[in-house]
Amino acid sequence: MAEVKAYAAYKAKEKLQPFTVARRELQPHDVQIKIRYCGVCHSDVHQVRDEWSHGIFPMVPGHEILGEVVALGKNVRRYKVGDRVGVGCFVDSCRECSACRKGLEQYCEKGFNATYNSYEKDGKTPTFGGYSSEIVVDENYVLKIPDNLSDAEAAPLMCAGITTYSPLKTWGIKPGDKVGVIGLGGLGHMAVKFAKAMGADVALFSTSDGKEKDAKKFGATTFINTKKSDFSKDHANQFDLLINTVSANIPIEEYLETLKQDGMLVLLGVPETPYSLNCFHLIMKRRRMAGSLIGGIKETQEMLDFCGKHDIVSDVEIIPIEKINEAYDRMIKSDVRYRFVVDMSTL
Ligand code: NAP
Ligand code: ZN
Ligand code: ZN
């Protein structure tokens, strides 16, 4: 067991502070990673504040991990010391169920082993995430980072990237399709970049004044300020696909009205309170709603390679670890342009 530095919330809703984590001894297929950067996802905030309940504390968040391989278990074949690698939202899964066999480990029937706020395969050792100096992960759950992507800007691809890439692929977005992205934060800005790279005509729905210029820089052709327009009427029946990245409850019925017949609204954001819905918004135009969870290992590597090919990265604000609590407060106020990334050399 190696003791490594970390930052943790000792209890639900508490501020994060210094903590020490014991990482496991290297197993034959384990890769030891020195973490250089870790992105800050809104899911970190939800979990530290225990908004999804049953949080395991102390909690070391962080599932947008970018680092360097520093040691290998004796049977590791996929990586060598010095490789630049990423780790996302899960670090293992059952590997046997039909979802795992299809490379959809995020939907593992037995529940995947999340990077933090979860347990290792023994079912009793808590997992601790990327706000730490090192992590040990099985090589099958580690991703290779293309050489042309820089460390800090690539880190958010491990969650914000794959979470938005996956539904665009699942629902087959192609040139000329009309995609609406709701919310311009960490996930939202990646959704705009990916949809644009896939040839879609992208609109961005935002509650913030002052994000129009950035939305257009990322590839949106239309910016819709939802506080200042009657958007469900102005943009009725327009979109093939809507991607909802908002971390709070939004007027979902108004957004459904902007979908074409057979259009799909994909839920990515996880508000604390349930949605209520009059079914007519779906029934009258055979519209659909679905959820989508991150992405599997195979698709995450495909997404990283797509980013390498198209030069797609996240727009980041790099912070030292002491600023993490302030970053959470700013994230809640939608004041992030567009992903905080912690420089782990400051730990
Ligand atoms: P984020 O960076 O904080 O962005 C969320 C954006 O939503 C904000 O920038 C803001 O955009 C908008 N927003 C926030 N509060 C709002 C409110 N009260 N009303 C309307 N709009 C609001 O968060 P993120 O990291 O992108 O995560 C977004 C959500 O996705 C979170 O709930 C997170 O837990 C979830 N998530 C899901 C998955 C998955 O696999 N499904 C993976 C990762 C994260 P504007 O300023 O443009 O309005
Ligand atoms: Zn995340
Ligand atoms: Zn499984």
Side-chain angles (χ1 to χ4, degrees):
M1 291 267 205
E3 299 265 303
V4 304
K5 286 186 191 170
Y7 250 55
Y10 284 67
K11 287 198 187 115
K13 301 184 187 354
E14 276 189 3
K15 288 201 180 313
L16 278 80
Q17 47 185 302
F19 183 65
T20 306
V21 169
R23 296 297 186 192
R24 67 175 182 241
E25 298 291 345
L26 284 180
Q27 301 300 300
H29 282 281
D30 277 349
V31 171
Q32 188 177 336
I33 300 163
K34 179 174 189 293
I35 302 175
R36 291 184 186 155
Y37 291 93
C38 185
V40 180
C41 180
H42 208 112
S43 304
D44 299 346
V45 181
H46 289 305
Q47 291 176 89
V48 162
R49 300 189 176 192
D50 213 19
E51 289 168 1
W52 300 342
S53 309
H54 311 299
I56 302 163
F57 292 89
M59 184 187 293
V60 176
H63 58 208
E64 293 184 337
I65 297 170
L66 194 300
E68 176 190 342
V69 175
V70 289
L72 302 169
K74 65 181 188 328
N75 293 342
V76 172
R77 296 287 171 269
R78 297 159 80 110
Y79 295 100
K80 56 184 192 315
V81 169
D83 281 351
R84 248 163 31 107
V85 293
V87 177
C89 298
F90 53 89
V91 288
D92 218 321
S93 64
C94 86
R95 309 182 190 201
E96 288 165 357
C97 72
S98 81
C100 283
R101 284 203 310 266
K102 285 186 217 144
L104 296 169
E105 299 88 351
Q106 75 275 34
Y107 303 121
C108 174
E109 287 163 18
K110 297 193 177 133
F112 58 72
N113 304 90
T115 305
Y116 69 89
N117 195 17
S118 177
Y119 294 100
E120 295 199 6
K121 285 202 107 163
D122 63 8
K124 56 178 195 223
T125 310
T127 54
F128 294 111
Y131 299 0
S132 71
S133 53
E134 291 197 7
I135 191 166
V136 174
V137 181
D138 185 290
E139 63 173 329
N140 294 296
Y141 294 79
V142 172
L143 284 305
K144 184 146 186 42
I145 306 296
D147 291 340
N148 58 321
L149 307 181
S150 77
D151 288 347
E153 294 172 326
L157 300 176
M158 300 310 303
C159 174
I162 183 59
T163 302
T164 49
Y165 177 88
S166 183
L168 291 165
K169 292 301 270 189
T170 299
W171 281 284
I173 287 309
K174 55 186 186 318
D177 284 351
K178 288 204 74 168
V179 173
V181 174
I182 311 172
L184 194 63
L187 266 57
H189 89 294
M190 292 311 305
V192 173
K193 291 183 184 201
F194 283 133
K196 159 86 177 161
M198 291 173 196
D201 181 12
V202 189
L204 190 281
F205 295 85
S206 177
T207 57
S208 296
D209 297 325
K211 287 189 180 173
E212 177 164 4
K213 206 165 142 217
D214 289 337
K216 292 197 168 156
K217 183 181 81 184
F218 300 144
T221 50
T222 312
F223 180 85
I224 301 160
N225 186 328
T226 55
K227 287 197 298 202
K228 292 188 177 157
S229 66
D230 194 355
F231 68 91
S232 73
K233 290 210 174 64
D234 296 347
H235 299 274
N237 308 314
Q238 279 192 4
F239 295 99
D240 297 289
L241 184 73
L242 285 176
I243 303 232
N244 175 21
T245 74
V246 177
S247 45
N249 210 306
I250 57 168
I252 205 78
E253 296 174 337
E254 292 179 41
Y255 284 97
L256 285 171
E257 284 303 311
T258 71
L259 285 175
K260 286 180 186 165
Q261 179 204 303
D262 287 322
M264 169 67 81
L265 188 155
V266 183
L267 300 169
L268 299 179
V270 191
E272 217 178 336
T273 53
Y275 281 118
S276 85
L277 174 66
N278 180 328
C279 303
F280 276 122
H281 295 284
L282 296 174
I283 290 170
M284 296 307 282
K285 287 210 158 43
R286 202 166 57 188
R287 295 179 176 120
R288 294 165 288 175
M289 250 172 109
S292 181
L293 180 65
I294 42 181
I297 293 295
K298 186 162 165 277
E299 194 175 45
T300 304
Q301 191 62 61
E302 177 191 306
M303 177 273 312
L304 288 166
D305 296 341
F306 182 91
C307 290
K309 192 168 157 211
H310 295 268
D311 257 322
I312 293 177
V313 284
S314 176
D315 281 47
V316 303
E317 179 174 338
I318 298 174
I319 56 164
I321 192 73
E322 312 86 77
K323 288 260 166 87
I324 189 69
N325 296 301
E326 202 181 298
Y328 278 19
D329 290 338
R330 281 181 56 194
M331 204 168 205
I332 295 199
K333 291 186 221 139
S334 303
D335 175 25
V336 44
R337 310 271 163 126
Y338 281 87
R339 196 58 141 186
F340 291 113
V341 173
V342 183
D343 175 354
M344 283 307 157
S345 69
T346 62
L347 243 186

